[in-house]
Amino acid sequence: HTSVDLPVTSVYMLAALTAAACGWPHFLRADSCRKGLELLHSGQADSPPVIMNAVPTMDPDILRVVNSSGGAVVHGDSVPLGAPLTLVHRGTKDPHGSQTVFITSAGLLEQSEPCGEGGAAMVCTTCGAGWLRQAQWTPTATGAATLAVGAARTGACFGTPAVTIGSLVVRVRTGTELLPTPQLPPPPLRTMLWNWGVGVSSAMSRACESSGLTASCSSGWAGAG
């Protein structure tokens, strides 16, 4: 057999790509979680962020969010403050291994670590959480919240991983804000009769003004009073 000597630069490049593909969630942590935040907000960006020299595929269907009753939560839905939600990765697991990361813009993401300084949190396969099919999230403040999942097929840990991202935005509201607007009870009979009298009086005044008999009408009303 004839051995082939690879250039030193090629060996270094291969090693770098191998390490990157196997630990891409750690790459998201770098620079105060800069790439993690880009992944989080990729659904609202004009174009997907470049992650590890590759443009991710945007697929909102890989993220499923369900409430405690099992009901689906979709983009733009309102959710109650303090009610936990389950974030589910609906993608397939690559036979050579997959890496998954869940990132939320606010709230309590179980087993997570901070992502940046704005309240975002991240939990990932290689952050000590083990294989992730789902994550638990609880909203702790009202307002808009972004929920995202990123998945990378690592293959045999050679080359740049293929990254897929799914995200959605929910509106966190208090319990009273989620209730339907109550129907006001009908006004009392006395109020209804008063309003009817005011309406009749206004109509007669407009009729007098339009007929040019405002003075006689006024005297007639005065005499009637």
Side-chain angles (χ1 to χ4, degrees):
H1 298 283
T2 301
S3 61
V4 177
D5 295 328
L6 293 174
V8 175
T9 54
S10 299
V11 174
Y12 285 154
M13 182 177 295
L14 180 60
L17 289 174
T18 302
C22 291
W24 75 280
H26 290 295
F27 176 79
L28 299 178
R29 290 164 147 177
D31 299 327
S32 298
C33 206
R34 181 172 63 88
K35 286 296 180 180
L37 294 174
E38 289 182 2
L39 185 154
L40 172 66
H41 298 294
S42 58
Q44 292 73 52
D46 294 334
S47 59
V50 175
I51 296 181
M52 301 176 67
N53 300 320
V55 178
T57 299
M58 302 303 300
D59 183 4
D61 290 337
I62 70 168
L63 176 62
R64 175 176 169 82
V65 180
V66 295
N67 56 30
S68 57
S69 301
V73 176
V74 300
H75 181 78
D77 274 0
S78 293
V79 298
L81 177 68
L85 300 176
T86 301
L87 317 183
V88 183
H89 171 226
R90 301 177 66 185
T92 57
K93 185 176 181 181
D94 192 274
H96 296 290
S98 301
Q99 305 289 349
T100 308
V101 58
F102 289 96
I103 306 180
T104 59
S105 62
L108 177 62
L109 182 64
E110 292 187 6
Q111 297 183 324
S112 67
E113 61 184 57
C115 182
E117 300 178 354
M122 176 175 71
V123 57
C124 59
T125 307
T126 58
C127 301
W131 164 245
L132 287 174
R133 173 63 70 182
Q134 63 184 36
Q136 300 296 319
W137 177 74
T138 303
T140 58
T142 57
T146 303
L147 316 175
V149 63
R153 297 192 308 273
T154 60
C157 282
F158 291 102
T160 302
V163 179
T164 306
I165 299 172
S167 68
L168 60 82
V169 177
V170 296
R171 308 288 176 181
V172 182
R173 305 185 186 279
T174 62
T176 54
E177 291 176 320
L178 292 169
L179 293 175
T181 303
Q183 297 295 322
L184 296 177
L189 179 60
R190 181 178 179 181
T191 303
M192 295 175 64
L193 292 174
W194 172 263
N195 291 337
W196 176 81
V198 171
V200 171
S201 175
S202 299
M204 294 183 67
S205 296
R206 287 194 298 270
C208 285
E209 292 176 358
S210 61
S211 62
L213 301 175
T214 305
S216 59
C217 286
S218 298
S219 61
W221 280 111

